Amino acid sequence: RIGKSFLDAGVPHVICCHHTEVFRDRASYVFIKNLYRALAWNKSLKQAFHHAQEAVRVEEMSKHIERYVLLPQKPDDDPYHDVPIFYTESVPPVGLSTETELQIMEEARHTLPHVPKHFIGREVDICEVLEALRVDDVVRVGGVKGSGKTSLVAAVCRYIQQRSKTFKFDDVFWLPSAHGVVPDKDTLFGDLCEYVDRIMKSNAGIADDDEAMECRERIDLELEGRRTLIALDSRKFETEAASENLESFLGQLLSSSFDVKVILISPDSVAKDEEDDEEDHEDDTIRMGPINFKSTALLFGEISRFITANGCPAAQSPDEFAALMVPPSVAKLQDQTKFSSTRRTRLMSQIGNGIPLDVIRAGKNMPASAFIHLIGMANTPEVTVESSSGLSAALEKWASQMELAIANKNFLRAMDLEQVLKELNSMRSKFPSIDDLIAKEADLHRRHTQCFKTRQYDEGNRLKREILALKKQIMQEKRAASSQHTTVVARPDKITDLQAQVKSIMEMANSSFNSLNELVAPDKTEAVFTLGSAYHNCVVRIYPGNVCDFDPGRDLGATVCWTNECCDLNIYDGGKNLLDYGGQNLDKDISSLPGITQTPWGIAKCGTGNAVIVGPGNYNDLRVHCVILAVGPMSPSCEDEYEENDEDSLHYIKVMLRSCIRSSLILAKHSQVQSIAFPTLTSKVGGPAYEPTLMTNLKILVEEAKHSDLNTLHIVARSEEESSKLIGIAMELGLALSS
């Protein structure tokens, strides 16, 4: 409808997109980038549009290219859209130049299968195949069923064909011809398809088949002087005779003077021991294993119907889902395949274990209840332990976190942490203490001495090797313990040094850029910003105060209150204050909220990262009719302490805070709320993570407000100093300050 409105207003050409949700996917960015790039190359509007569509289709993302529309819609042969945009030079007709990228893509359509809509996590495998082609004439690709062998080889072939000047292949063919591909007769590709088809149907040697031999002669003539790459799916040759004829054909091709290279897709492997047996005589086969943890999560996110812009608050895009599943401590690992944990194993088993076909099936078929359970499992902390001292530190950390969760009445979070502690306790046998190791060493020495006294030399030598290995383990544990102690002791000194450096830099900046000081206005404690978008304008007001005093004016308003999973407002000063303002009606409505689950410590009414709403109602001194109770990742009293380099904890805070704010805004939208007030939620004021969590809070609120229906977003700081910090951050983010 919007595109038609532009046409009705007299705009001759309109590019638009069918989409019922807010744009947050990377495909739109890729489309726009390639559209303008093609226009800059002096392509016509029509050429640039098709180029951008093709760029989206070959990318490793969802490829719903049919949603991009060029209006007014015309037949393909209609020249209406064949007009230049940036230049006045004449535009060459489509497809006349064989050097253009569009022509290459057109050739690929007639010889190669399509790259699948969802193709993720095979970059390393592609590089491995390309490197193997550089040195080998035959490259075999194998793997279990569903691992994506066909997809990988198709991607490699298209990659090579689109870079013909780099790889210098005259032809890239797929045999047998892919589904939907009709080879032209009297061409090299047509003859190859015909000959391979006869091989597939053969029950004996084909040397006596005159037509096959004539076809083979034509192939030999056409291959002369050309560099050819053939991708061949050997799984299609099901009979013994067909396989033998295929081997003979390939042997003759490769032993001749023809410049031919072959990528051979091997039959599916069905078990690990079978793969091991094959390695002896096919050790050159590139075996495709499961894709890594992050790629699995991305692929699942592309498929799942629950991960949309208006879907699960915790993850509304594949990238957000992957970030939820794979914390920074795991994502930054060079080789994720060597990392394993109970959490990762459980999550991977739910989303296909890294086998692309199984991942796609899991994404398509997973019911809502299983998806909710999956998100719950993803919220469980990831634990990695490498030493006994690390195990002790982890046990101490998570036991403390669990006690804090129970004290704050976050019972569901406490249950998650209880599972973490069970997993850690199960590791005690793998990581004995240094004292236990020393005691074990003494016992081994005693047994070793006894063996030599009784002339049991073989056993004595074995014990000696065990003693040496144990000494090495003791040294590693001592180094780990010493390193951990040094880190703890040195941290205050490092922080002091960093603070001194930052202070020095700030003094230099303040003395050099007085004009910037006037712009930022550090003494400013109240400000109004405007968020402009294609949908509506939202005003953001930042000021110090109390959300209980929030006045929405003529708008229907709501106040957000940070709370715990039991929705018990009496254990925080802010909650008590809100109950005093709201009176008995508010207290009654909150008390009547239904429980969602029974825990060992009590009934939980709302999980972390979610929100519930009470109202509309008449809540005494409150000037709003709705109150949203949001369960954030930090205590509403803002007393939690985190280290600035605790990546996983800060990542969890970001993900859960975003989920919480989204849930609140969804509830506000359903209740037709136009203005809403959020108090800030941070770690302990003055702590190492205070400013990072304050910035995260503001960024998420601003980003989500852009995609909301709000008229006004009120961000209420706890102090003038905090309000001034928020205003400074908002200006750094480039928000437009209203006059």
Side-chain angles (χ1 to χ4, degrees), residues 364-503:
K364 288 182 177 179
N365 301 327
M366 180 172 286
S369 58
F371 182 78
I372 293 171
H373 180 63
L374 178 68
I375 295 297
M377 287 196 300
N379 290 334
T380 304
E382 188 70 77
V383 291
T384 53
V385 176
E386 298 178 352
S387 65
S388 62
S389 57
L391 176 60
S392 299
L395 283 166
E396 182 180 351
K397 172 185 175 180
W398 295 115
S400 174
Q401 290 286 324
M402 179 179 169
E403 290 175 4
L404 187 62
I406 295 172
N408 290 334
K409 293 193 172 183
N410 290 319
F411 297 151
L412 295 174
R413 180 64 175 170
M415 291 177 68
D416 288 340
L417 297 179
E418 187 178 37
Q419 293 299 318
V420 171
L421 289 172
K422 288 181 179 179
E423 180 182 349
L424 289 170
N425 279 311
S426 68
M427 297 180 184
R428 287 186 182 274
S429 59
K430 299 179 182 178
F431 298 99
S433 67
I434 295 177
D435 291 339
D436 292 337
L437 292 174
I438 292 174
K440 183 178 179 180
E441 182 188 14
D443 181 63
L444 288 175
H445 274 295
R446 182 187 59 78
R447 291 168 55 193
H448 177 262
T449 303
Q450 186 65 28
C451 283
F452 277 90
K453 284 182 179 180
T454 58
R455 298 186 179 182
Q456 298 178 18
Y457 299 120
D458 291 341
E459 178 66 11
N461 289 330
R462 187 191 67 78
L463 289 173
K464 186 176 181 179
R465 290 192 295 271
E466 191 173 344
I467 290 170
L468 291 174
L470 192 58
K471 282 182 178 293
K472 183 179 178 181
Q473 186 178 356
I474 292 172
M475 291 173 62
Q476 290 174 342
E477 291 289 350
K478 286 182 176 180
R479 279 198 298 267
S482 175
S483 174
Q484 188 173 5
H485 176 71
T486 303
T487 302
V488 172
V489 171
R491 189 175 294 128
D493 294 334
K494 288 185 178 181
I495 292 174
T496 302
D497 292 341
L498 286 172
Q499 288 174 339
Q501 292 177 31
V502 170
K503 184 178 180 180

Side-chain angles (χ1 to χ4, degrees), residues 231-304:
L232 210 151
D233 190 347
S234 66
R235 297 169 298 180
K236 303 293 185 181
F237 300 82
E238 299 174 349
T239 66
E240 184 177 350
S243 297
E244 290 176 355
N245 286 327
L246 175 64
E247 288 292 333
S248 175
F249 172 55
L250 292 178
Q252 293 169 12
L253 279 182
L254 297 171
S255 62
S256 65
S257 60
F258 301 133
D259 192 356
V260 175
K261 287 183 179 286
V262 177
I263 304 176
L264 193 65
I265 303 176
S266 300
D268 298 329
S269 302
V270 295
K272 289 185 178 180
D273 52 353
E274 286 189 16
E275 291 180 1
D276 294 337
D277 291 338
E278 291 175 354
E279 284 180 0
D280 293 334
H281 59 276
E282 289 188 1
D283 54 356
D284 60 337
T285 299
I286 296 174
R287 300 213 169 271
M288 297 177 60
I291 55 179
N292 65 29
F293 192 10
K294 185 173 182 179
S295 297
T296 301
L298 283 170
L299 179 56
F300 182 91
E302 290 278 3
I303 299 295
S304 175

Side-chain angles (χ1 to χ4, degrees), residues 541-550 558-563 569 573-575 577-578 627-638 657 660-661 664 676-682 693-694 696-698 701 713-719 722 726:
R541 297 182 179 273
I542 301 176
Y543 53 88
N546 187 341
V547 290
C548 298
D549 299 321
F550 168 53
T559 292
V560 174
C561 176
W562 298 110
T563 184
L569 273 58
D573 291 339
N577 196 22
L578 188 70
V627 174
I628 296 173
L629 306 178
V631 185
M634 295 174 285
S635 168
S637 60
C638 299
L657 194 58
C660 207
I661 290 171
S664 300
I676 191 169
F678 276 89
T680 54
L681 181 68
T682 67
T693 53
L694 184 67
T696 297
N697 196 343
L698 178 64
L701 281 170
L713 168 65
H714 295 252
I715 303 176
V716 185
R718 286 165 295 184
S719 65
E722 183 171 271
L726 286 168

Side-chain angles (χ1 to χ4, degrees), residues 61-77:
M61 62 180 75
S62 178
K63 306 173 184 67
H64 303 297
I65 60 173
E66 66 277 357
R67 71 181 186 178
Y68 302 100
V69 181
L70 179 58
L71 299 178
Q73 292 182 320
K74 299 285 185 179
D76 288 340
D77 56 353

